[in-house]
Amino acid sequence: MLLLDGKIASAAVKAALQAETQLLVQSGKRAPHLAAILVGTNGASETYVASKIRNCEETGIRSTLVRLESDVQESVLLAAIDQLNNDPGVDGILVQLPLPKQISEQKVIEAINPTKDVDGFHPSSAGKLVQGLSTFIPATPYGIMLMLEYFNIETKGKHAVVIGRSNIVGRPMSILLSSNQQRGNCTVTICHSQTPNLKEICLQADILVAALGRPEFVKADMVKEGAVVIDVGITRVDDATAKKGFRIKGDVAFAEVAPKTSAITPVPGGVGLMTIAGLLKNTLQAYKQNA
Ligand code: NAP
């Protein structure tokens, strides 16, 4: 069994990015610039944003964090996005999700200028992805593709099963795996909460992507011998014995599933790290297109 270690794969992606940004700055150009907006003080969101900013620093990408109170009005957030849209020194904008109830996530996603949409959530980016056009690929599916590339996982002709149909993970993942490109050309089945016979479908998967947000949902009896298993899930599960009072669980019961697989991602230390690598690559792409 090959451990698809996100630390190793993301380090390789980040080293290449760092070398590129260094060359840019040495040649007298400004560094790429990512602006992140964080609304409120949700613990997980704080952790994700801090990690994104730390990774920007490590790769020579400038970052700005805009913090807004959890009771902020939607119009104030939209105005902050508008300001960043119109700032020629900002290449990429991300608004950390989820947002408080008074704010429409869809409105916020659509407010971001598609040329700065480094999360790839704007309908314009999603539409381009469906049509196989160059665009910003949502960071998590992008990171998974980078991981498959790094570990040279063959996808052509394989049956991929994706559990989850969200706009940020499951659906774009299914599009990428089914597309006519390197690390694509799979026959893809996409499953969701209304899928009957989920276990039988999973058992047919050469590549199984679990992105449903149910801790340890995928058990050994749902996985074919020799399958490649990609665990996207990140759930905080209360645990009084843990230092922080919780543990991070994936969607796959790793201990029992791993021995059956040919390759598997750990949680933590797998897809999460690749997601950040995907975001950083999108930021550099935005810089190249906009500068
Ligand atoms: P989401 O928007 O809640 O979507 C979950 C999907 O899973 C939905 O399509 C849902 O079906 C499906 N689902 C839920 N329960 C199911 C079940 N019992 N059987 C089959 N399908 C089921 O979640 P998301 O944003 O895609 O995120 C999924 C997980 O990935 C979460 O744990 C999230 O924290 C994690 N995540 C990780 C990263 C990372 O960097 N590693 C990034 C993003 C998300 P319906 O459509 O029918 O409701």
Side-chain angles (χ1 to χ4, degrees), residues 171-290:
R171 198 173 298 281
M173 194 67 235
S174 71
I175 292 164
L176 288 164
L177 287 170
S178 65
S179 65
N180 182 5
Q181 60 164 21
Q182 176 86 339
R183 309 298 154 195
N185 287 308
C186 289
T187 303
V188 178
T189 304
I190 182 160
C191 303
H192 44 76
S193 67
Q194 307 306 308
T195 302
N197 309 325
L198 186 64
K199 180 177 165 185
E200 285 68 27
I201 295 168
C202 290
L203 276 167
Q204 293 168 26
D206 302 309
I207 298 171
L208 179 62
V209 181
L212 67 161
R214 302 277 179 273
E216 304 195 331
F217 179 90
V218 175
K219 305 277 194 264
D221 66 357
M222 296 169 72
V223 176
K224 183 165 87 172
E225 201 73 46
V228 173
V229 175
I230 308 291
D231 188 353
V232 184
I234 299 182
T235 307
R236 289 182 171 199
V237 177
D238 290 342
D239 184 342
T241 66
K243 214 166 147 193
K244 292 180 179 166
F246 65 85
R247 286 189 199 283
I248 301 291
K249 295 270 183 197
D251 286 344
V252 176
F254 185 91
E256 62 177 88
V257 170
K260 283 187 88 174
T261 66
S262 59
I264 185 168
T265 61
V267 175
V271 172
L273 298 174
M274 297 311 296
T275 294
I276 292 180
L279 172 71
L280 299 176
K281 273 184 81 83
N282 277 344
T283 304
L284 183 59
Q285 184 189 324
Y287 169 90
K288 287 180 183 166
Q289 287 168 4
N290 298 337

